[in-house]
Amino acid sequence: MSEAPLTILLVEDNPAHAEMILRSLAEHEVANHVTWLEDGETALDYLFRRGRYAEPSESPVPFVILLDLRLPRVDGLQVLRQVKEHAVLRDIPVVILTTSEAERDMARAYEYHANSYVVKPLRFDEFAALMKDFGFYWLSWNKRPETEVGRGMRGGAPGSAKAPPRRAGRSGERERHGEASDSSRG
Amino acid sequence: MERFRLADLVDVARLQRMIDSLYVAGGISVTILDGDREILVASGGPDACLRYHRGNPETRRRCWNSDAAAEKFLAEVPLSGGQEKRRYKCENGLWNVAVPLVARGMYLGTLFLGKFLLADEEPDMDFFRRQAAAYGFPEKEYLEAIEAVPRFSSERLDAMLRYYMDLVATLVDLSLARIEAMEVSEALRESEERYRDLFDTLDQGVIYQNASGEIVAANAASQRILGLSLAQLQGRTSMDSRWSAVRKDGLPFPGEEHPAMVALRTGRAVRNVLMGVFNPQEEAFRWIDVSAHPRTRPGATDPFEVYTTFMDVTERWKALEAVKEKTEEAEQFFLSALDLLCIADTEGRFLRLNAEWEHTLGYSLDDLMGRFFIEFVHPEDVQATLDVISTLGNQKEVLNFVNRYRCKDGSYRWIEWRSFPAGRRVYAAARDVTVRREMEEALRESRDRYRQLFESMLDGFALHEILLDGEGKPRDYRFLEVNPAFERLTGLRGEDIQGRTVLEILPKTESHWIEAYGRVALSGETLHFRNYAKALGRWFEVSAFSPRHGRFATIFTDVTEQERGREERERLIAELERKNEELERFTYTVSHDLKSPLITVKGFLGLLEQDLAAAKPDLVQKDMGRIGEAADRMALLLDDLLELSRVGRIVNPSALHSVEELVRRALEAVSGRLAERGVVVEVSPGLGDVYGDGPRLVEVFQNLLENAAKYTGEQEKPRIEIGVMRREDGIVYYVADNGMGIDPRYRETIFGLFNKLDPRSEGTGIGLALAQRIVEVHGGRIWVESEGKGKGSVFCLSFPPAPRVGGDDV
């Protein structure tokens, strides 16, 4: 029995960007666990517990999803749509994190009920600040009902989460073609 | 005077009795012959004659000779004179005396007195003895018979003759008196009959009325005319209220004024009074012309009767009335007719005109009357009009002659004439046909224009008549007329189709056309549509309308060029839209994909700064590596984009290329990679030729080969096969592999720019996008067929057929 990890699901095909995100999150001790997946198809497998993610212990329900739009195989909008059409998964906040500033992408993202749409900043300091704010906002300030998803996992309660999780482990999980690799660094 | 026969004048039987009595009393035999010498009466004769002379042929002949001599004697003997001169002795020796019977100077017959012997003459007995001996008479008896013959003295003879002559004369006188009476009575009878016949057969009615006015006689004609039988008429008077007689003017005609009554009253004849009498059989009035004549006995002053004669003048009266009516009618007609009527003489002068002339020409009738009408005729029509006058002068009618008359205001009206000469008069009915002529002219012009338009118009025109079934629904239609453009546009010849129905000509014509045209013909709605005539390969714009009920016309314009233009425009618009979309997609992709490495560079520069500050040399190294990768990637992307933009922009001349040669060059280019992966490539023979940009087509095969080599998956014996399939829709080249295959979901996305199924795979993901672009620039198509993951992939290519080489084609 350990305190349930506050998992962030990161779907990002660009490894460099993924590294930047993971390092920024770790820097500000935002999450104690980040699962990084590189394409839309794998992300859906994870969320819907298919294939190698069939085992629930392998695929804890994320507290929030950071989703890139331009992804191989299944693009981000498709992932978003399927999540938001799902009776349970739709409660998970989905934050679109993309390079695209196209109106069409924003409109469609919100049409599919994205919770937030964020364009990757070019400047690094802004990028770092964004990651910090993101963590605090979604993991601390944002309130949700006490559902299974709301608790962030099935089984153990995530605690009343009265305060932002300050001591979240700085760990990230990187998954690629079904293989997870630890990319955390401290 | 007619000759009478004695037998008609006397009572023969009575006369016979008288002479018989005298014979018995005095022995005097008498024979009377009539005018024809025929025995009228005869008393018996002496035995000498009867028993002896008539019994022997010789003596009988001598008797007859005596009679003949007597006749001769009589003819010669004067009628007056004594009896001595009329005495003669017959050849048998006996005396006769013959006297003519005459009454009123007329010979009626002859009286013979005899045979006798004269008292003062001694008979010649010897003669008789000789005679007895000669003819075998017994002498004694014969002589006794001679002795018994009466003997008369001359005096006695005279007395007897006088007596008989007086007797006969008396008888004749009586008879003649009777005859005369008979003759008078006969004349009277004949007169009566003639009168009666006349009375009965006369066409005129005749009625006799007595002094008190009662009808005593009425002939058949009167009964017929009055519609009453004789029984009904007899006893009726003129005062009878049943007559219902009327005067000429229709007012009652009182009985006391009837001509008969007037004649009775005045004693003078009344003549020719017209009277209407009601005929109850015909239940109509008859008109009679009545005259009444009183009859007065000599010496009297008042008439004792009156006879009335009357003639049925109903028909004549009616005819007169009718003529009068007709005359009035004709006059009325003449005055009020809307036609122009005129009576002229053969010299060409107006004698009489009706009022309509005033309206038509504007002159008053006084202006026209008596004028020569040639004065009013248009100069150009004068000669023709003079010819007509001459024809009329020859008593020939002239029909439908048209000339122009000058109106008072100087304008001209067209007048059409029908003229009939009658002696020196010409009766003419004319009509102002100006408007009609103008309309005819306009109509003719319009018709000419229409015909010209019809013949020369570029649009096809066809007139049809709709044909209905028993329920009044359109079942077919018939071509009535088509113009040359119709023939040109449809290839159908007017002479072949006019009068025939569409189902005869084109049996496959769908019923909805007939229904639609039926609505046009019957309801008058119009139709407009475009229709592609497959057989002709042309587009037509069709308008259908109904020029009159039951018919419809179609006008169609060849809009093939327009339609092709429209198709071309639509194709270009679609092409443009596709290009725009492609450009947008491209811009989007490019901005996204080029931005990504930039973010990486900036991000890791920031991290590098931190790591330098924190003196983390391993991380610094890593950060710099990331920056370098990102820069390289950017360069690669830019190169690929440049390459992509060249496709379709920089074009090598198109030519026919051997596909085998293209494949060979592609294989050469990728031989290194293929060898590296140990891929076996098999190329089918007989790939044929393809038309296009050679180097670009090599690139297509090169990209497909590279793609296949890249995604061999876990295949231990990777193979690539290049070949050709001949499918229904054309020739399809294929590049098939036995590699990792493609999920059907990604069949489209793999051709997207910078799309990669495997983010870890090398390259930017431009290869298939480039191949697709080149194929599309050639007008071809590229797609992938795969049964799924791990089942290998088949990339297929199809190209449009090469343009035909030769001729003027460039």
Side-chain angles (χ1 to χ4, degrees):
Chain A
M1 92 106 274
S2 58
E3 191 176 299
L6 286 169
T7 300
I8 293 173
L9 179 62
L10 170 64
V11 189
E12 171 60 70
D13 68 327
N14 187 322
H17 289 196
E19 190 181 339
M20 285 163 62
I21 292 161
L22 290 171
R23 280 177 67 174
S24 297
L25 289 174
E27 178 77 19
H28 301 289
E29 298 181 336
V30 170
N32 53 9
H33 190 83
V34 178
T35 299
W36 169 36
L37 300 175
E38 278 184 290
D39 68 84
E41 194 178 70
T42 313
L44 289 172
D45 284 352
Y46 178 95
L47 288 164
F48 287 85
R49 288 179 179 153
R50 296 186 296 229
R52 65 172 300 270
Y53 297 104
E55 180 53 46
S57 63
E58 292 291 325
S59 53
V61 177
F63 204 79
V64 65
I65 301 170
L66 259 179
L67 183 63
D68 193 4
L69 284 184
R70 194 168 156 76
L71 295 170
R73 292 162 191 266
V74 177
D75 76 11
L77 285 170
Q78 287 303 314
V79 174
L80 171 65
R81 209 184 62 179
Q82 290 195 36
V83 167
K84 289 301 181 185
E85 280 174 0
H86 190 268
V88 176
L89 297 177
R90 68 178 179 203
D91 287 350
I92 304 170
V94 178
V95 175
I96 304 296
L97 185 60
T98 179
T99 50
S100 172
E101 290 181 76
E103 282 287 325
R104 197 178 60 173
D105 283 342
M106 284 183 221
R108 290 182 69 197
Y110 284 116
E111 186 187 321
Y112 293 150
H113 307 293
N115 297 74
S116 183
Y117 189 100
V118 179
V119 179
K120 291 172 183 171
L122 262 180
R123 287 171 53 166
F124 177 69
D125 53 343
E126 288 175 354
F127 197 97
L130 167 67
M131 286 300 118
K132 181 181 146 204
D133 292 346
F134 162 79
F136 275 100
Y137 182 84
W138 290 105
L139 300 177
S140 300
W141 297 115
N142 191 45
K143 294 296 178 205
R144 286 186 291 163
E146 289 286 310
T147 60
E148 185 189 346
V149 166
R151 288 193 302 271
M153 65 191 67
R154 77 207 62 78
S160 53
K162 285 166 190 163
R166 308 230 170 233
R167 295 150 68 101
R170 293 184 299 174
S171 68
E173 192 184 356
R174 190 177 183 196
E175 309 246 348
R176 177 173 145 200
H177 284 277
E179 282 173 51
S181 64
D182 191 357
S183 65
S184 67
R185 62 177 218 176
Chain B
M1 189 175 178
E2 191 181 337
R3 193 171 71 92
F4 289 100
R5 291 175 65 225
L6 192 57
D8 297 329
L9 298 177
V10 297
D11 185 340
V12 175
R14 205 165 157 193
L15 188 62
Q16 181 72 49
R17 277 197 307 276
M18 281 170 73
I19 61 169
D20 283 348
S21 304
L22 281 171
Y23 176 68
V24 171
I28 302 157
S29 58
V30 174
T31 299
I32 296 173
L33 299 181
D34 67 12
D36 297 323
R37 312 278 193 268
E38 294 292 328
I39 293 173
L40 185 71
V41 289
S43 59
D47 285 348
C49 287
L50 301 177
R51 289 177 61 185
Y52 298 102
H53 295 158
R54 304 271 170 161
N56 183 280
E58 182 56 26
T59 51
R60 186 161 66 234
R61 191 187 52 79
R62 285 159 66 171
C63 276
W64 290 346
N65 284 347
S66 298
D67 291 342
E71 276 179 43
K72 190 163 184 268
F73 160 79
L74 282 174
E76 289 165 2
V77 171
L79 290 175
S80 56
Q83 51 87 14
E84 296 87 352
K85 294 185 179 165
R86 299 189 195 113
R87 234 172 20 197
Y88 71 95
K89 196 183 261 179
C90 77
E91 290 179 22
N92 290 318
L94 297 179
W95 286 92
N96 279 301
V97 60
V99 287
L101 294 176
V102 175
R104 301 192 184 182
M106 186 172 61
Y107 170 76
L108 294 174
T110 306
L111 179 118
F112 289 90
L113 194 64
K115 309 291 184 54
F116 59 88
L117 292 173
L118 288 170
D120 41 6
E121 182 189 72
E122 201 55 40
D124 183 359
M125 292 313 284
D126 288 342
F127 170 80
F128 294 112
R129 280 186 205 100
R130 284 194 302 271
Q131 188 137 292
Y135 303 113
F137 306 145
E139 192 185 85
K140 189 181 170 257
E141 285 89 345
Y142 180 63
L143 292 179
E144 282 173 7
I146 295 295
E147 282 299 323
V149 172
R151 297 175 75 138
F152 299 130
S153 65
S154 289
E155 294 77 23
R156 191 148 170 229
L157 271 175
D158 285 339
M160 283 195 296
L161 285 174
R162 265 196 309 277
Y163 167 77
Y164 278 109
M165 285 171 71
D166 281 347
L167 176 69
V168 169
T170 304
L171 286 176
V172 167
D173 274 348
L174 276 174
S175 287
L176 284 177
R178 196 166 58 84
I179 285 168
E180 278 165 9
M182 252 168 59
E183 279 175 351
V184 168
S185 139
E186 177 70 7
L188 201 62
R189 193 181 54 78
E190 281 181 8
S191 165
E192 170 73 14
E193 268 177 21
R194 280 202 292 273
Y195 159 75
R196 176 55 59 183
D197 282 351
L198 189 67
F199 185 72
D200 285 343
T201 58
L202 198 66
D203 261 352
Q204 284 197 14
V206 181
I207 282 178
Y208 285 86
Q209 285 165 276
N210 62 20
S212 49
E214 286 168 0
I215 292 173
V216 292
N219 72 344
S222 70
Q223 296 165 35
R224 192 180 67 242
I225 294 167
L226 299 175
L228 295 166
S229 68
L230 184 59
Q232 287 172 318
L233 284 168
Q234 269 172 339
R236 195 190 270 205
T237 69
S238 294
M239 315 304 282
D240 195 301
S241 61
R242 287 173 291 178
W243 284 117
S244 314
V246 293
R247 292 186 191 276
K248 190 163 66 174
D249 53 11
L251 294 173
F253 205 137
E256 64 269 19
E257 290 177 31
H258 285 194
M261 299 315 286
V262 174
L264 277 178
R265 204 161 52 238
T266 62
R268 288 199 195 124
V270 178
R271 295 176 199 280
N272 301 107
V273 176
L274 188 70
M275 187 175 194
V277 287
F278 188 77
N279 180 321
Q281 284 189 349
E282 295 174 357
E283 297 189 336
F285 275 92
R286 286 247 187 177
W287 290 96
I288 53 178
D289 181 347
V290 188
S291 296
H293 308 271
R295 298 190 71 211
T296 309
R297 288 213 172 91
T301 46
D302 291 337
F304 72 96
E305 69 173 10
V306 61
Y307 68 94
T308 307
T309 60
F310 49 93
M311 232 168 13
D312 184 352
V313 295
T314 309
E315 295 309 316
R316 209 170 64 191
W317 175 255
K318 276 188 187 165
L320 270 170
E321 281 295 302
V323 166
K324 205 172 110 189
E325 227 169 82
K326 282 267 182 300
T327 310
E328 280 170 13
E329 209 172 76
E331 183 66 14
Q332 198 58 34
F333 216 67
F334 186 85
L335 292 176
S336 62
L338 290 175
D339 277 349
L340 304 164
L341 302 181
C342 93
I343 302 171
D345 60 23
T346 44
E347 312 279 293
R349 248 187 309 252
F350 284 126
L351 296 180
R352 196 141 180 237
L353 296 152
N354 70 342
E356 203 53 28
W357 286 95
E358 293 186 339
H359 302 145
T360 303
L361 298 182
Y363 300 105
S364 72
L365 289 183
D366 291 341
D367 290 343
L368 296 170
M369 222 70 93
R371 296 273 292 276
F372 284 97
F373 48 76
I374 203 77
E375 294 172 36
F376 300 93
V377 171
H378 191 284
E380 287 174 17
D381 297 338
V382 164
Q383 191 51 52
T385 306
L386 290 172
D387 292 347
V388 164
I389 293 172
S390 146
T391 305
L392 290 167
N394 293 330
Q395 301 299 305
K396 283 186 190 136
E397 62 182 38
V398 175
L399 301 181
N400 304 328
F401 171 68
V402 179
N403 60 7
R404 280 164 287 180
Y405 267 65
R406 194 179 62 247
C407 301
K408 194 163 190 178
D409 65 8
S411 64
Y412 283 90
R413 306 293 294 175
W414 289 92
I415 309 289
E416 184 182 78
W417 294 88
R418 295 166 68 84
S419 308
F420 303 89
R424 294 180 52 77
R425 295 267 170 119
V426 175
Y427 296 87
R431 191 168 285 186
D432 181 350
V433 294
T434 309
V435 172
R436 194 183 78 198
R437 283 191 75 102
E438 283 169 356
M439 279 173 66
E440 279 171 357
E441 183 66 15
L443 194 67
R444 196 179 53 73
E445 271 176 28
S446 156
R447 201 178 293 143
D448 287 350
R449 278 202 301 274
Y450 163 74
R451 179 50 61 183
Q452 204 176 357
L453 182 69
F454 183 78
E455 297 291 343
S456 63
M457 67 196 267
L458 294 173
D459 292 343
F461 179 94
L463 182 66
H464 318 80
E465 166 187 54
I466 202 81
L467 302 173
L468 304 176
D469 63 15
E471 294 172 5
K473 295 212 171 67
R475 62 165 171 83
D476 200 350
Y477 57 82
R478 189 189 307 287
F479 287 89
L480 297 177
E481 196 170 18
V482 301
N483 72 343
F486 175 95
E487 298 181 318
R488 199 170 56 244
L489 290 172
T490 61
L492 295 168
R493 279 151 50 95
E495 59 192 61
D496 294 339
I497 64 170
Q498 274 159 194
R500 297 178 66 200
T501 76
V502 71
L503 290 179
E504 285 168 12
I505 300 159
L506 306 164
K508 287 180 184 164
T509 302
E510 292 143 315
S511 61
H512 70 86
W513 286 114
I514 293 168
E515 284 161 20
Y517 287 137
R519 280 197 301 281
V520 172
L522 300 176
S523 78
E525 71 176 70
T526 55
L527 266 187
H528 298 282
F529 57 88
R530 278 191 180 206
N531 188 34
Y532 182 68
K534 207 169 180 180
L536 305 167
R538 304 202 72 81
W539 281 93
F540 292 113
E541 185 164 271
V542 183
S543 293
F545 63 96
S546 175
R548 79 168 202 230
H549 188 78
R551 289 190 174 185
F552 69 93
T554 52
I555 294 179
F556 49 97
T557 314
D558 186 342
V559 290
T560 308
E561 294 313 316
Q562 200 183 346
E563 196 64 23
R564 297 227 166 112
R566 191 180 60 80
E567 281 174 358
E568 179 63 12
R569 196 166 62 245
E570 278 172 9
R571 197 186 61 73
L572 287 173
I573 288 169
E575 167 87 4
L576 203 62
E577 278 171 355
R578 200 176 55 74
K579 291 233 162 151
N580 262 342
E581 203 178 311
E582 193 182 285
L583 188 66
E584 198 185 338
R585 206 168 60 225
F586 180 77
T587 312
Y588 168 74
T589 307
V590 164
S591 68
H592 182 279
D593 286 297
L594 288 180
K595 206 170 156 193
S596 277
L598 209 57
I599 289 167
T600 306
V601 169
K602 293 281 272 183
F604 278 92
L605 280 173
L607 286 171
L608 180 63
E609 208 174 322
Q610 283 179 6
D611 291 342
L612 281 171
K616 292 176 179 170
D618 53 333
L619 284 180
V620 166
Q621 197 59 46
K622 210 177 164 186
D623 293 342
M624 289 174 67
R626 286 290 188 199
I627 291 167
E629 282 168 22
D632 289 348
R633 180 162 174 80
M634 250 185 124
L636 199 61
L637 283 170
L638 288 171
D639 282 351
D640 285 350
L641 282 175
L642 202 60
E643 179 62 21
L644 192 66
S645 76
R646 282 198 189 109
V647 175
R649 195 161 53 80
I650 296 170
V651 185
N652 300 297
S654 284
L656 207 56
H657 297 280
S658 154
V659 176
E660 276 182 69
E661 174 61 17
L662 298 174
V663 169
R664 194 186 57 71
R665 276 154 61 186
L667 282 170
E668 244 171 43
V670 296
S671 58
R673 192 184 304 267
L674 293 172
E676 185 185 306
R677 305 270 176 123
V679 179
V680 177
V681 177
E682 203 175 293
V683 180
S684 302
L687 292 178
D689 298 329
V690 69
Y691 183 79
D693 179 345
R696 289 291 175 204
L697 291 170
V698 171
E699 274 182 69
V700 172
F701 284 106
Q702 192 179 324
N703 276 304
L704 292 177
L705 286 166
E706 276 181 348
N707 191 68
K710 210 182 281 179
Y711 300 103
T712 51
E714 284 159 25
Q715 182 58 253
E716 289 176 9
K717 291 181 180 170
R719 273 181 85 247
I720 295 175
E721 190 188 328
I722 298 172
V724 65
M725 298 180 277
R726 281 167 175 82
R727 293 189 181 172
E728 279 178 19
D729 50 352
I731 290 169
V732 175
Y733 298 98
Y734 63 89
V735 177
D737 65 59
N738 59 352
M740 60 195 287
I742 291 160
D743 190 308
R745 283 180 292 173
Y746 310 129
R747 274 183 206 163
E748 298 297 326
T749 54
I750 55 168
F751 292 104
L753 180 61
F754 301 138
N755 276 2
K756 295 196 291 183
L757 282 183
D758 181 356
R760 294 279 142 193
S761 63
E762 57 191 301
T764 57
I766 200 168
L768 292 180
L770 196 62
Q772 184 185 41
R773 181 144 176 78
I774 293 166
V775 171
E776 283 179 354
V777 163
H778 280 81
R781 206 159 71 79
I782 184 168
W783 70 98
V784 67
E785 295 176 358
S786 173
E787 289 181 15
K789 232 170 168 179
K791 301 265 175 80
S793 310
V794 182
F795 282 85
C796 301
L797 297 164
S798 74
F799 294 97
R804 208 175 295 166
V805 182
D808 296 332
D809 283 359
V810 181

